Amino acid sequence: SRDDDMFTSGWQDVLFDKQTIQSFEHDETAPVLINTGALMARWTNDVWRATAHRVVVKPSAATTSRYSIAVFIDPDKSTTCSVHPKFVPQGEEPKYPPINSLDYLLMKLNEVQLG
């Protein structure tokens, strides 16, 4: 799955692995994992990609209860989200038009309902 927000943080533990599907190096011993979301990808013109991920239960933990606390970080609903000029090559146009943060969230929720 991919998150639609700016980024998501979640606690890692020894019983459950939050696996990244894209290949990049990360510290599996770090207590917190931060995934970039689709909104961050939009702001960076897809230079920073939304991290595809999943949670996998280790066989030794199949009978253990799991509590998960994820924190989804989003801008204020009135924030205009537009590609930062640093991520637009000279002579090119941004991949995405500016959008209000609330309108972006509603667009993504609508995609889930129609999908």
Side-chain angles (χ1 to χ4, degrees), residues 6 39 43 72-81 99-105:
M6 286 183 355
L39 183 56
W43 261 332
F72 301 93
I73 310 298
D74 290 288
D76 186 73
K77 65 182 179 182
S78 63
T79 301
T80 298
C81 303
I99 190 170
N100 175 280
S101 180
L102 179 59
D103 292 338
Y104 173 80
L105 175 61

Side-chain angles (χ1 to χ4, degrees), residues 2-3 6 12 14 21 24 27 29 46 49 54-55 57 61 66 72 77-79 84 88 93 101:
R2 287 186 172 82
D3 298 323
M6 286 183 355
Q12 298 188 104
V14 296
I21 297 169
F24 70 94
D27 183 355
T29 64
D46 288 333
R49 309 288 274 185
R54 63 184 175 190
V55 175
V57 179
R66 178 172 193 265
F72 301 93
K77 65 182 179 182
S78 63
T79 301
H84 190 283
V88 181
E93 294 293 319
S101 180

Side-chain angles (χ1 to χ4, degrees), residues 4-111:
D4 292 323
D5 49 1
M6 286 183 355
F7 57 90
T8 305
S9 65
W11 295 97
Q12 298 188 104
D13 60 39
V14 296
L15 300 177
F16 300 89
D17 287 332
K18 187 167 190 177
Q19 294 184 340
T20 54
I21 297 169
Q22 295 170 286
S23 80
F24 70 94
E25 291 186 29
H26 69 283
D27 183 355
E28 294 177 2
T29 64
V32 176
L33 180 66
I34 297 176
N35 289 325
T36 53
L39 183 56
M40 185 63 76
R42 185 181 182 106
W43 261 332
T44 64
N45 217 30
D46 288 333
V47 172
W48 294 5
R49 309 288 274 185
T51 308
H53 59 278
R54 63 184 175 190
V55 175
V56 177
V57 179
K58 293 180 180 179
S60 61
T63 60
T64 304
S65 296
R66 178 172 193 265
Y67 298 94
S68 183
I69 300 173
V71 179
F72 301 93
I73 310 298
D74 290 288
D76 186 73
K77 65 182 179 182
S78 63
T79 301
T80 298
C81 303
S82 58
V83 175
H84 190 283
K86 175 182 178 177
F87 296 101
V88 181
Q90 188 172 5
E92 292 186 22
E93 294 293 319
K95 293 180 182 180
Y96 306 101
I99 190 170
N100 175 280
S101 180
L102 179 59
D103 292 338
Y104 173 80
L105 175 61
L106 294 173
M107 176 184 75
K108 294 310 246 181
L109 290 172
N110 191 44
E111 288 175 7

